[in-house]
């Protein structure tokens, strides 16, 4: 009977210890590359403690305290595409991929303000800042300018995004926009480029024809000048000299040659 009581008491004690451990004592390990913050759930000091937990094991009481972990290594978030409008109303598509990390010194302030884990902040606050940055900057560009000055557009978006997020403890690293213009605008740009190319080719042909005509005129003028120069050089004396040089010593004959002497044989 005494043995049975000992066993029963042991079971009760173990059960009580288990209940106590579950509700009053907990042990949690903060992984490397994370910041753990201790949050009071009751009392006048309810909120985020001033102490920022480092990596390691943390003992706390779950009924009165909660521990949250925030990763401080680089996070990469691929967002769903959304639309933005240029100043003239044309609709572009943005499919952003964003990489960042959390400033470990601002984690308690961040949690105190938003009361959300990092995943919730990515899909809420950070996403809203990204969308607002794109929409505000895009509204200062016309459609043509947005396409022809895409790098300038990207730089302005990144600058605005970096400034807004840094205030809350998110450190910007990289942003890929994957900006896509509407098909109608692409077709209009292609048509404009074809027209420009055709005009350029026609201009080149015209310039070539003009050059060939000028070459012919220059050649004809040169030949005329050469002939004029030759004609001006043919004085009567030179013509007579040329005639003498080419004469073979024979007189020209026209009709029957008169007989100067009588034939005596007849």
């Amino acid at each position: 009977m005494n043995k049975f009581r000992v066993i029963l008491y042991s079971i009760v004690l173990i059960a009580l210890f288990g209940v106590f451990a579950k509700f009053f004592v907990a042990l949690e390990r903060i992984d490397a590359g994370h910041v753990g913050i201790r949050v009071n759930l009751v009392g006048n000091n309810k909120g985020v403690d001033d102490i920022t937990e480092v990596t390691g094991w943390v003992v706390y009481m779950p009924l009165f305290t909660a521990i949250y972990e925030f990763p401080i290594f680089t996070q990469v978030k691929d967002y769903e595409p959304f639309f933005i409008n240029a100043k003239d109303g044309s609709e572009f598509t943005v499919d952003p991929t964003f990489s960042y990390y959390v400033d470990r010194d601002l984690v308690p302030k961040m949690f105190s303000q938003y009361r959300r884990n990092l995943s919730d902040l990515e899909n809420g606050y950070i996403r809203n800042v990204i969308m607002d940055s794109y929409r505000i900057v895009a509204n200062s560009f016309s459609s043509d300018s947005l396409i022809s000055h895409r790098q300038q557009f990207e730089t302005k978006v990144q600058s605005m995004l970096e400034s807004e997020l840094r205030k809350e403890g998110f450190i910007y690293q990289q942003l890929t926009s994957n900006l896509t213009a509407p098909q109608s605008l692409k077709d209009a740009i292609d048509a404009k480029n074809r027209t420009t190319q055709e005009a350029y080719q026609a201009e080149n042909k015209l310039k070539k024809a003009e050059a060939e005509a000028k070459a012919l005129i220059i050649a004809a003028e040169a030949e005329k000048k050469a002939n004029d120069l030759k004609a001006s050089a043919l004085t009567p004396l030179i013509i007579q000299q040329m005639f003498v040089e080419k004469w073979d010593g024979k007189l020209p004959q026209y009709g029957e040659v008169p007989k100067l002497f009588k034939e005596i044989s007849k």
Side-chain angles (χ1 to χ4, degrees):
M1 186 67 177
N2 290 334
K3 184 177 181 181
F4 177 77
R5 288 181 179 179
V6 170
I7 296 175
L8 181 61
Y9 290 155
S10 299
I11 294 174
V12 172
L13 288 174
I14 293 174
L16 290 175
F17 179 79
V19 171
F20 177 82
K22 180 177 180 181
F23 292 100
F24 294 95
V25 179
L27 181 65
E28 185 169 342
R29 182 177 183 274
I30 307 300
D31 294 331
H34 291 70
V35 170
I37 56 174
R38 184 191 303 270
V39 180
N40 292 326
L41 302 178
V42 295
N44 295 330
N45 196 29
K46 183 178 180 181
V48 181
D49 281 349
D50 293 333
I51 300 175
T52 299
E53 301 290 346
V54 294
T55 58
W57 293 98
V58 180
V59 179
Y60 64 99
M61 301 180 69
L63 283 177
F64 308 104
T65 307
I67 300 295
Y68 294 89
E69 288 187 61
F70 274 74
I72 56 175
F73 53 87
T74 296
Q75 305 292 308
V76 179
K77 179 66 175 178
D78 186 9
Y79 286 99
E80 292 294 324
F82 58 88
F83 297 107
I84 59 175
N85 292 98
K87 184 165 56 177
D88 53 12
S90 296
E91 192 174 67
F92 290 74
T93 302
V94 178
D95 185 8
T97 300
F98 179 54
S99 60
Y100 70 98
Y101 66 92
V102 175
D103 185 345
R104 64 177 303 146
D105 295 330
L106 296 180
V107 169
K109 173 180 176 292
M110 183 188 306
F111 187 84
S112 177
Q113 181 173 351
Y114 294 103
R115 296 286 175 155
R116 295 287 186 274
N117 58 34
L118 193 56
S119 178
D120 291 339
L121 291 175
E122 283 181 345
N123 295 317
Y125 170 74
I126 296 179
R127 180 176 182 273
N128 292 336
V129 172
I130 291 175
M131 294 176 66
D132 287 344
S133 298
Y134 274 111
R135 287 168 175 166
I136 291 172
V137 176
N139 197 247
S140 65
F141 284 79
S142 64
S143 299
D144 291 344
S145 180
L146 188 56
I147 293 175
S148 58
H149 299 88
R150 182 173 297 187
Q151 184 58 49
Q152 183 180 350
F153 167 75
E154 300 272 0
T155 300
K156 287 188 175 183
V157 171
Q158 292 170 9
S159 178
M160 179 178 291
L161 185 63
E162 181 178 8
S163 176
E164 290 298 319
L165 291 179
R166 181 176 289 275
K167 299 174 184 177
E168 305 301 328
F170 301 98
I171 308 303
Y172 167 92
Q173 286 189 305
Q174 188 176 6
L175 176 67
T176 303
S177 299
N178 296 317
L179 183 69
T180 304
Q183 189 60 45
S184 58
L185 185 58
K186 291 181 181 180
D187 295 340
I189 292 175
D190 290 341
K192 180 180 178 181
N193 290 338
R194 284 196 301 270
T195 302
T196 302
Q197 187 65 25
E198 290 171 358
Y200 179 74
Q201 292 175 354
E203 183 180 358
N204 285 342
K205 289 181 180 179
L206 179 60
K207 288 181 179 180
K208 182 179 179 182
E210 291 176 349
E212 291 176 349
K214 287 180 180 179
L216 292 175
I217 292 173
I218 292 173
E221 289 178 348
E223 184 178 359
K224 181 178 181 300
K225 288 180 180 180
N227 292 336
D228 292 344
L229 183 61
K230 288 180 181 180
S232 63
L234 293 177
T235 62
L237 182 60
I238 292 177
I239 294 174
Q240 185 177 1
Q241 182 180 353
M242 293 173 62
F243 175 76
V244 171
E245 289 175 352
K246 293 184 178 182
W247 186 43
D248 58 0
K250 297 180 181 180
L251 294 173
Q253 298 180 1
Y254 301 95
E256 184 178 353
V257 178
K259 294 181 180 181
L260 301 178
F261 301 98
K262 183 179 180 180
E263 292 184 17
I264 58 174
S265 61
K266 292 183 179 181

